Amino acid sequence: MDDSKILLENGTNELMILEFKLGDNYYGINVAKIREITKYEPVTPIPNAHPSIEGVFMPRDVMITAIDLKNCLGRGESDSKGLFIITNFNKLDIAFHVDSVLGIHTVSWTEIIKPEVTISTAEEGVAIGIVKKEDRLIIILDFEKIVTDINPETGLKISDINDLGERHRSTVPILIAEDSALLNKLIVDCLKKAGYENLIHVENGKQAYDIITHYKDQGTLHENVRVVISDIEMPEMDGHRLTKLIKTDEATAKIPVVLFSSLVNEEMRRKGESLGADAQLSKPEIGNLVKIIDQLVAERHLDM
């Protein structure tokens, strides 16, 4: 799995997806989230756990929670066979129980269709997008939302904002790119609560870059965009591509880019650094996001 990850150049707007099956349905997960794939093994049930949690097991002395993905999607329960896709994101190790794995595809984010009207109710709300391969549609699932729905405590730590205490108001213009409608709203609400009132928020990197280009062409970029906060996984244009476009243009290179994503592990951090990202944080850390914005504003005199 590690070898396949490094085939992609940074900032190309591509991702690798692992295709797997649940029953007769085809699904995908970003390879960057995967630690390893193992055969199913018996797990220890957890009393009073969520119905989709099969239990826990300890490969190589690491406690991992196993989730029955078929159950999550309302498609019954998995048999005691198949595979575990062991993932790491949002600083969590989670194993997803699937029937089989079919292979890896390299796709562009521009190929990924928004899932609004093309999926069944089983996947509604937990799909990032859909990609067509030959005669089938592969639904790319939002694994962060699946885990947060099971355990809300793994989501954004909104209470961290209250710990920041009394805040002064700021008019520094911040552009936010986040494809999840729920997370987009939560980030905006948290930043407003932290005193940042001048916010533009869009749902992917392309929309963000279109806004940057518009204001650049108008000669009003500094008045309208002084900080960019971006997710990494987004349809049309991902956060790495957005960062590369900003940082390789002399007119925009000084705009601080903060990558705020569930994918900020060691490898992805190296990618972000090579593209020029000014800061990178894992998604639960909303309090640290505000502190990073405060620091960038102060150090670079962005409130002038």
Side-chain angles (χ1 to χ4, degrees):
M1 194 59 62
D2 288 341
D3 290 340
S4 66
K5 288 183 188 180
I6 60 175
L7 293 176
L8 291 182
E9 293 182 16
N10 292 348
T12 59
N13 208 38
E14 292 179 317
L15 77 156
M16 286 181 166
I17 59 168
L18 177 79
E19 180 184 5
F20 61 89
K21 284 190 76 174
L22 292 171
D24 296 325
N25 300 284
Y26 300 89
Y27 299 95
I29 177 173
N30 190 338
V31 167
K33 289 187 170 78
I34 301 173
R35 274 183 43 197
E36 61 180 313
I37 299 168
T38 65
K39 287 184 178 179
Y40 173 84
E41 62 178 270
V43 299
T44 302
I46 302 173
N48 305 314
H50 186 281
S52 295
I53 295 179
E54 294 187 23
V56 294
F57 64 111
M58 289 187 67
R60 293 187 293 281
D61 297 325
V62 177
M63 180 80 73
I64 294 177
T65 300
I67 291 178
D68 184 348
L69 197 51
K70 192 177 286 185
N71 181 275
C72 286
L73 299 177
R75 297 191 179 280
E77 293 187 2
S78 295
D79 300 323
S80 297
K81 57 184 180 180
L83 299 167
F84 280 141
I85 299 175
I86 301 178
T87 64
N88 178 267
F89 56 86
N90 281 352
K91 299 183 176 180
L92 298 171
D93 294 315
I94 305 285
F96 292 93
H97 189 179
V98 304
D99 291 343
S100 60
V101 165
L102 301 182
I104 291 175
H105 308 287
T106 300
V107 299
S108 168
W109 279 106
T110 59
E111 297 176 57
I112 297 172
I113 307 161
K114 287 195 69 174
E116 295 161 326
V117 294
T118 51
I119 59 174
S120 73
T121 53
E123 293 86 17
E124 188 176 1
V126 292
I128 293 172
I130 298 168
V131 64
K132 186 173 183 181
K133 282 291 174 186
E134 298 165 358
D135 59 344
R136 63 195 183 278
L137 296 177
I138 302 171
I139 300 172
I140 303 173
L141 294 173
D142 186 342
F143 286 86
E144 292 88 342
K145 187 170 192 309
I146 288 170
V147 172
T148 303
D149 286 347
I150 291 172
N151 182 5
E153 289 299 311
T154 64
L156 290 189
K157 306 289 191 267
I158 298 172
S159 59
D160 289 354
I161 301 299
N162 296 326
D163 297 338
L164 296 175
E166 191 67 29
R167 307 273 302 175
H168 74 276
R169 314 317 289 173
S170 172
T171 59
V172 172
I174 299 174
L175 174 59
I176 301 156
E178 166 61 65
D179 66 313
S180 163
L182 175 61
L183 286 175
N184 194 310
K185 183 178 186 303
L186 286 175
I187 292 168
V188 168
D189 290 348
C190 286
L191 287 176
K192 284 185 175 178
K193 194 169 184 180
Y196 290 102
E197 301 174 321
N198 191 0
L199 308 174
I200 303 173
H201 52 106
V202 295
E203 61 184 39
N204 61 57
K206 183 180 183 304
Q207 291 178 358
Y209 193 64
D210 286 347
I211 286 171
I212 290 169
T213 302
H214 169 73
Y215 287 127
K216 183 182 77 169
D217 292 345
Q218 276 194 344
T220 60
L221 186 58
H222 185 71
E223 290 82 0
N224 291 283
V225 180
R226 295 186 201 168
V227 181
V228 173
I229 300 170
S230 179
D231 189 12
I232 293 177
E233 283 188 297
M234 295 180 290
E236 294 198 62
M237 183 188 291
D238 67 16
H240 281 158
R241 179 64 176 169
L242 175 62
T243 304
K244 183 174 183 177
L245 290 174
I246 291 171
K247 293 300 183 178
T248 53
D249 182 343
E250 190 176 329
T252 60
K254 291 185 179 180
I255 297 174
V257 176
V258 180
L259 293 175
F260 188 51
S261 168
S262 63
L263 287 179
V264 179
N265 54 32
E266 185 177 338
E267 180 195 351
M268 297 300 274
R269 189 178 296 279
R270 287 198 300 268
K271 280 191 174 185
E273 287 173 355
S274 72
L275 292 166
D278 296 85
Q280 301 177 79
L281 296 98
S282 183
K283 242 173 194 165
E285 301 173 5
I286 189 71
N288 284 341
L289 174 65
V290 172
K291 291 175 183 176
I292 289 292
I293 301 297
D294 290 348
Q295 185 178 335
L296 288 168
V297 169
E299 290 179 353
R300 306 194 188 184
H301 308 291
L302 300 177
D303 52 352
M304 304 296 287

